[in-house]
Amino acid sequence: MRIDMLSLFPEFVAQCAGFGVVGRAVERGLLGIHGWNPRDYAQGNYRRADDKTFGGGPGMVMMIEPLRAALDAARLADATPAPVVYLSPQGRPLTQKRVRELAALPRLILLCGRYEGVDERFVAHEVDEEISIGDYVLSGGELPAAVLVDAVARLQDGALNDAESAAQDSFEDGLLDCPHYTHPASHEWGEVPAVLRSGDHAAIARWRRQQALGRTWLRRPDLLDEAPLSKSDRKLLDEFKAQNSGSAS
Ligand code: 9D3
């Protein structure tokens, strides 16, 4: 997969290409990340890529032409067609479902806004989709772009080790994860649940599933409404509810 980023701070997003799962995906040739700075395509002595907002008021807006030239350069660099995704507070909230769909594309062009954002005419003509990463205020689209890059990188074939296997992740089955423990088994802050040390793999799988269901019920009941639960899931959850009625965790 190839990801191109249009950003006034392209090094910012390229950072994530140096670490962890994303870094490994880049090293393995599963993912290429390329930055394009509209400022490099701006005109005049000052190479301005932003200007004052029409109608007055504080804040600057990213100009059409420098962005258009940067986008043209990105498209010229590789013939693979790609949708333009604008990371913006007005976008649809990112979900793992959308991440899976985007990760399957051969190429993605990410547009990162700064200041008040991008001239709306550029959005209307060149942007295929607007995506937000949640209802809180950031100072630009670079961190959201890095979030999207991370999420799609780890879904590339061969990006994860067996131990990191994406299939068992929280959200892949629509549930939160179960609790995890490591050594020591006994600690002044508590014991590791006996079932996890029992060696009974069926009992362990049941316990983990029940904990995942139960925590989702306690913490994210909204997810439970969407999760496809089997008959045995319902039984495990009912049992959890009976054991945990009145508790909050
Ligand atoms: C304080 C400026 N706000 C005026 C009402 C609007 C505004 C403009 C630009 C708010 C944030 C931003 C910069 N944010 C992003 O570019 C952004 C973002 C975010 O802030 N939260 C969640 N997802 C995203 S995706 C892009």
Side-chain angles (χ1 to χ4, degrees), residues 19-218:
F19 304 97
V21 174
V22 182
R24 205 190 313 141
V26 172
E27 275 169 26
R28 290 180 180 172
L30 307 171
L31 183 71
I33 304 179
H34 306 264
W36 305 90
N37 190 342
R39 203 179 160 116
D40 294 338
Y41 299 87
Q43 304 292 314
N45 277 345
Y46 297 98
R47 295 198 165 277
R48 297 216 60 92
D50 60 286
D51 206 338
K52 286 172 290 194
T53 174
F54 268 116
M60 305 294 275
V61 175
M62 290 173 72
M63 300 164 73
I64 297 175
E65 285 303 326
L67 277 174
R68 169 148 77 161
L71 178 57
D72 286 348
R75 290 222 190 269
L76 264 170
D78 190 301
T80 312
V84 175
V85 172
Y86 176 30
L87 286 308
S88 130
Q90 283 73 48
R92 252 201 303 179
L94 186 61
T95 62
Q96 187 63 19
K97 175 169 179 280
R98 195 67 194 126
V99 167
R100 278 193 295 270
E101 292 162 354
L102 294 173
L105 298 175
R107 190 180 181 193
L108 213 50
I109 299 177
L110 303 182
L111 169 59
C112 307
R114 280 273 146 182
Y115 321 117
E116 294 313 300
V118 168
D119 189 302
E120 192 61 27
R121 293 166 295 181
F122 185 87
V123 179
H125 272 78
E126 296 289 0
V127 169
D128 296 290
E129 177 174 1
E130 287 185 62
I131 291 180
S132 158
I133 63 161
D135 296 337
Y136 37 84
V137 181
L138 302 171
S139 45
E142 282 78 9
L143 280 172
V147 165
L148 185 52
V149 167
D150 187 288
V152 301
R154 54 192 302 291
L155 293 185
Q156 301 303 304
D157 268 342
L160 296 182
N161 299 328
D162 288 346
E164 298 161 339
S165 168
Q168 291 186 28
D169 267 4
S170 171
F171 293 112
E172 288 296 343
D173 61 3
L175 297 178
L176 300 184
D177 209 355
C178 63
H180 299 283
Y181 299 88
T182 187
H183 296 283
S186 184
H187 185 274
E188 64 171 309
W189 291 345
E191 307 294 314
V192 171
V195 59
L196 296 178
R197 306 179 60 203
S198 69
D200 181 342
H201 297 294
I204 292 169
R206 225 180 305 114
W207 182 86
R208 286 181 170 157
R209 185 73 184 171
Q210 183 169 53
Q211 290 294 312
L213 289 159
R215 287 176 138 197
T216 309
W217 172 65
L218 286 169

